[in-house]
Each structure stands twice: as structure tokens, then as C-alpha cells.
Amino acid sequence: MRTLTFKAIVPMLFILQLMLPFSARAGLPLGGFGFEAGPHMSWFSYDEPGVMEESGLMYGVSGACSYRADNLPAGIDMLRLEAMIARGEVDYSSSGSGDLSGIDERMYEIRLLASRDIFKGLRSTLSWYTGIAYRRLDDSSGGMVSTRGYCGYDRHSNYWYSPIGMELVARQGAGWSIGGTLEYDAFWGGKQVSDLTDANNASYTYSADLENSQSSGYGWRAALMFRQELGFGAMSFGPFFRYWNIDRSDVDTIVVTENGVQRVTGFVEPDNNSSEYGMAVSISF
């Protein structure tokens, strides 16, 4: 019920945006296009309580293109397209199936955002934003064997969600500014694809791969950035945090054959949560 409530808030926020006083946007200059890109590093962890956990370092690159103008529709002050790709190695641990080390982990994300300036003063700007986003996480343990003899398999996690956030930027003088964002991620749905046939062997086989739909969950993220104006643009750096909590999926049913005996078995993706703590650096112009 909580997830549906937050989903209902998204269109309401767009209506509220149209009702905000126009004076809050008065005097905003035409900004045109802006671009930024840079690397980031994070400690990533994924946990299915009572089932398994994995964690490791991720390295990646993020980029964004923004467009700011006075004549955008629906009271919008800026449109922004963000993209991110990251890769690393994680270690898997489970009391039931054993341990695996050095699993290749890849993450991709793309977000389209629209923002509005709620307050714009001489030294600070407060904005809110929302939009649509897609996140994919690939976990590649196919072909690996755990310490207890279990075969690994590739997993592909897909999330569709709407960011709803606030951003505050405070200018400090000498070209420095400090900014922060706080964001709630309204989860629209997800699909977990598990390539179980990767684990087929002489005595144990799966008739098909799994596709489990996920309908309930939420995310949070926050970031703090320090920005220094340069001759050609600006450099920003600072810490960030990202978190997801996803409820148990629906059931997908396949045929499992063990030592020649077939049985119909239902599988679910358990309740799970993931978190990232990291640092990012970017150059904008």
C-alpha cells in the first residue's frame, strides 16, 4: 500500500509544480546546454536476508546533458539526461550453497529528469525534480562452482522507477559552492531474469530460465558535492549513497529434473536490499 501511495504522488507533484508562483522563476537567465562527465568508485552490497549476500568494489563512469531555459513547458526550468555504467567484482556467500569469489558485476542506469527552481537567491538555489529511470544489474557467475559444489548462473535485474528529489546549491565565494541532493525512488516494477540453465549438469537440470516480476519496493539516494569553478567549466567531487529495498517477487514455475526424476517447481526472488557507498568526481562545461 505504501508503494501505491508514493506512485500516486508523482502526477500530483507535476500539478503542484504548475501551481507554484511564477515569481519563484522570475529573472532566471537562459542557460542553454551543459555537459558533465567523470568517474566514480563505490562499495556495493546485495543481501537476501537468510539466503545469501554478496559485496565488492565497483568502478564506473557517469555523464549528463542538461538544458536550462525560460521557455520550457509546464513550468519546467531544466531538463536533464543522465547515464551511468559501472563494473566490478563481488564475492558471494551463502550458508546453503557455499561461497564464490570474483564474480563479474555490471551496472547500467539511464534517467530523464525535469526540475523546477523553488527558490533562487543571490547565494543559494533550491530545486525539486522528478522523472523516469531504468536500472540494470548483471551478475555473471555462470560457469563458476561454489565451495560446496553448486554451479553458478547469470542473473539480470531490471528496475523501472521515478526519482523524486530535492537539490540545494549554496555558493560560498572564490568560485566554490556546496550542493546536496536527497531523493526518494518510487518503484514502478522490475523483472529478475535468472539463467538457471547455466547450472545444468549430468544429474540436475532446469527446463528453462526464470523470469520473476517484482511489483513492490522503494529506493533512497543522497549525495554531497563540492564544486570549484574553473576557466573552462567546473570540477565537482563528493560522496554519495544509494539504497534499494525490493519485496518478494511473483512465482515462476519450471520443470526440474534430478537424477532422471522430474518435478514441477515454483521459484521466487526473495525480499532483498542493496546499497552503495561511494565517491564521485566530474568535470562540467
Side-chain angles (χ1 to χ4, degrees):
M1 182 65 69
R2 177 186 300 177
T3 304
L4 292 175
T5 300
F6 273 100
K7 288 179 180 179
I9 288 176
V10 177
M12 293 169 60
L13 286 174
F14 276 113
I15 296 173
L16 177 62
Q17 171 175 293
L18 297 176
M19 297 172 62
L20 289 174
F22 182 81
S23 59
R25 302 171 55 237
L28 288 177
L30 292 174
F33 285 97
F35 303 91
E36 63 183 78
H40 65 270
M41 179 178 69
S42 66
W43 179 260
F44 173 79
S45 62
Y46 173 87
D47 181 34
E48 295 176 1
V51 180
M52 55 78 71
E53 61 183 19
E54 61 183 19
S55 58
L57 277 175
M58 302 283 286
Y59 304 88
V61 177
S62 299
C65 173
S66 59
Y67 179 71
R68 176 180 284 274
D70 282 339
N71 58 353
L72 292 173
I76 297 170
D77 289 313
M78 185 175 70
L79 294 172
R80 181 177 173 88
L81 179 64
E82 301 177 347
M84 180 273 290
I85 182 171
R87 185 176 183 178
E89 290 189 350
V90 298
D91 296 332
Y92 170 99
S93 179
S94 170
S95 58
S97 56
D99 301 336
L100 284 170
S101 298
I103 299 172
D104 183 41
E105 197 89 353
R106 303 187 187 196
M107 187 184 299
Y108 314 88
E109 191 172 55
I110 185 165
R111 294 154 48 104
L112 178 62
L113 307 175
S115 71
R116 170 139 189 193
D117 298 326
I118 300 173
F119 171 80
K120 188 175 180 69
L122 293 177
R123 298 182 62 86
S124 61
T125 302
L126 177 64
S127 306
W128 82 270
Y129 61 89
T130 189
I132 55 175
Y134 168 73
R135 172 187 180 269
R136 180 181 174 96
L137 179 68
D138 291 334
D139 183 280
S140 303
S141 61
M144 304 176 73
V145 180
S146 76
T147 54
R148 298 192 62 181
Y150 287 86
C151 297
Y153 53 90
D154 294 350
R155 290 157 45 90
H156 316 282
S157 178
N158 303 273
Y159 295 170
W160 294 268
Y161 67 96
S162 282
I164 306 170
M166 303 288 291
E167 180 179 28
L168 176 65
V169 178
R171 289 167 284 281
Q172 304 298 307
W176 281 96
S177 60
I178 300 175
T181 58
L182 180 63
E183 175 182 306
Y184 174 82
D185 293 323
F187 184 72
W188 295 113
K191 177 170 287 188
Q192 182 75 32
V193 180
S194 302
D195 297 341
L196 280 186
T197 54
D198 289 348
N200 285 350
N201 55 66
S203 59
Y204 206 96
T205 62
Y206 301 94
S207 63
D209 296 329
L210 293 176
E211 289 192 6
N212 295 102
S213 296
Q214 300 160 307
S215 60
S216 180
Y218 64 90
W220 290 99
R221 63 179 62 190
L224 179 65
M225 296 299 288
F226 301 88
R227 177 185 173 98
Q228 172 64 61
E229 299 293 334
L230 304 172
F232 59 88
M235 180 183 71
S236 302
F237 60 92
F240 65 86
F241 169 71
R242 300 167 185 159
Y243 175 80
W244 283 101
N245 189 305
I246 307 299
D247 295 333
R248 173 176 159 162
S249 73
D250 68 355
V251 180
D252 190 15
T253 302
I254 60 174
V255 176
V256 178
T257 303
E258 184 176 5
N259 297 320
V261 178
Q262 292 186 338
R263 67 180 187 274
V264 177
T265 306
F267 292 85
V268 300
E269 182 70 11
D271 295 341
N272 62 83
N273 60 79
S274 61
S275 60
E276 278 185 273
Y277 304 84
M279 291 286 296
V281 178
S282 67
I283 299 294
S284 57
F285 50 92

